[in-house]
Amino acid sequence: MNNDAFSAITQAARLIKDADGLLITAGAGMGVDSGLPDFRGNEGFWRAYPALAKSGLAFTAIVNPQAFISNPKQAWGFYGHRLAFYRKTIPHEGFGILQAMAKVMPHNAFVVTSNVDGQFQKAGFSSNAIYEIHGSIHYLQCATPCCYRHWLAKEIEPLTDDERCEWIGNQMPRCPYCREISRPNILMFEDMTWEAGRSSLQKINWQVWMNRVERPVIIELGAGLQIPTIRHIGENQGAPLIRINPTHFQLREEGAGVSIPMGAKAALMAIAKELKMAH
């Protein structure tokens, strides 16, 4: 670790010690150390799904509500594979470090994430302290939609042909209210039918938490520039921001916090060492 990186880690540890609440803002880079793919344009997407590369299908075409109408077997081939993959993925050590950091703060932690993988819940964060701005793959809704409802995807056991990216199970996931095709309760591209009720309630929980905290510190992890919503959220809270990102680590304003050009797990482990935390 060079002097600049060491200085950034020391400064981050000082900001964390001074805080009474930890706001965690996380993008796709947070899951990379757990083995999750970070889709960066079509190239990264096609590396993860070569069957869709052969057909030249763009990321924006499959991550799209229209895909469940025009080709539901293919759409569920993609999302069924992702659901099964996320279910078996083990959150990396950094999640536990964040929990340990927050445990000593009066207001603990709140998570705002663009990730739909449910890894924070799986790592033990309270579901009442998580705002999933794009929804969650672990919940479903009607693809039509026939109603403004959502439900857990726990009844689904995905069976997919990953070489062809197709759902091959006997029963396609269907809406229990109208029996049409269901879809994940996720905000997709060109999406006018996302049922946002669950996410809206989570946002209210976040706002209530923010109103209680007097000295928040923000740790942003792996938030990219392509869809910069998570970056903007952290930048607009008027609180010290610790931006952890191996490539896009620059802060919008000098003096607004500290930037650490590292991956999420490595940076959190270095901060934990500086804080002399057991992890």
Side-chain angles (χ1 to χ4, degrees), residues 1 22 34 47 52 77 84 89 154 177 187 193-195 210 232 241:
M1 188 185 298
L22 175 61
S34 299
R47 275 196 300 275
L52 300 180
T89 299
K154 62 182 180 181
Y177 304 102
L187 178 62
T193 57
W194 180 45
E195 202 291 291
M210 285 296 291
H232 292 166
L241 173 64

Side-chain angles (χ1 to χ4, degrees), residues 119-253:
Q119 291 290 291
F120 280 97
Q121 288 95 330
K122 199 171 189 179
F125 284 83
S126 168
S127 58
N128 293 323
I130 300 172
Y131 170 28
E132 295 159 302
I133 66 172
H134 294 160
S136 170
I137 198 168
H138 301 287
Y139 286 81
L140 305 180
Q141 66 169 83
C142 182
T144 308
C146 71
C147 57
Y148 296 104
R149 293 176 178 174
H150 60 267
W151 56 92
L152 277 166
K154 62 182 180 181
E155 302 297 325
I156 293 181
E157 291 298 334
L159 187 58
T160 58
D161 180 338
D162 297 332
E163 287 188 12
R164 298 172 61 186
C165 192
E166 275 192 4
W167 180 275
I168 55 174
N170 290 332
Q171 186 67 36
M172 290 285 291
R174 293 192 177 274
C175 171
Y177 304 102
C178 73
R179 304 308 301 163
E180 293 296 329
I181 295 294
S182 67
R183 51 165 274 196
N185 184 224
I186 291 171
L187 178 62
M188 304 181 189
F189 293 101
E190 300 174 17
D191 199 343
M192 303 299 289
T193 57
W194 180 45
E195 202 291 291
R198 180 172 171 274
S199 186
S200 296
L201 289 174
Q202 290 178 331
K203 184 177 183 179
I204 292 169
N205 289 341
W206 172 46
Q207 291 168 336
V208 169
W209 182 85
M210 285 296 291
N211 287 336
R212 290 203 309 263
V213 181
E214 294 179 358
R215 301 185 315 280
V217 65
I218 304 163
I219 298 184
E220 178 194 287
L221 301 134
L225 294 173
Q226 203 167 31
I227 302 176
T229 315
I230 288 293
R231 293 173 75 93
H232 292 166
I233 286 172
E235 290 166 350
N236 293 330
Q237 299 309 311
L241 173 64
I242 300 166
R243 172 164 284 157
I244 297 172
N245 196 305
T247 50
H248 305 299
F249 51 83
Q250 296 84 357
L251 293 170
R252 184 175 67 181
E253 296 175 17

Side-chain angles (χ1 to χ4, degrees), residues 45 58-65 67 78-79 82 186-189:
F45 166 61
F59 182 54
T60 54
I62 194 72
V63 183
N64 194 304
F78 173 68
Y79 277 103
R82 286 182 75 187
I186 291 171
L187 178 62
M188 304 181 189
F189 293 101

Side-chain angles (χ1 to χ4, degrees), residues 22-26 30 98-99 102 109-113 120 125 209 217-221:
L22 175 61
L23 177 61
I24 301 160
T25 60
M30 180 58 177
L98 289 168
Q99 286 176 301
F110 203 100
V111 177
V112 178
T113 181
F120 280 97
F125 284 83
W209 182 85
V217 65
I218 304 163
I219 298 184
E220 178 194 287
L221 301 134

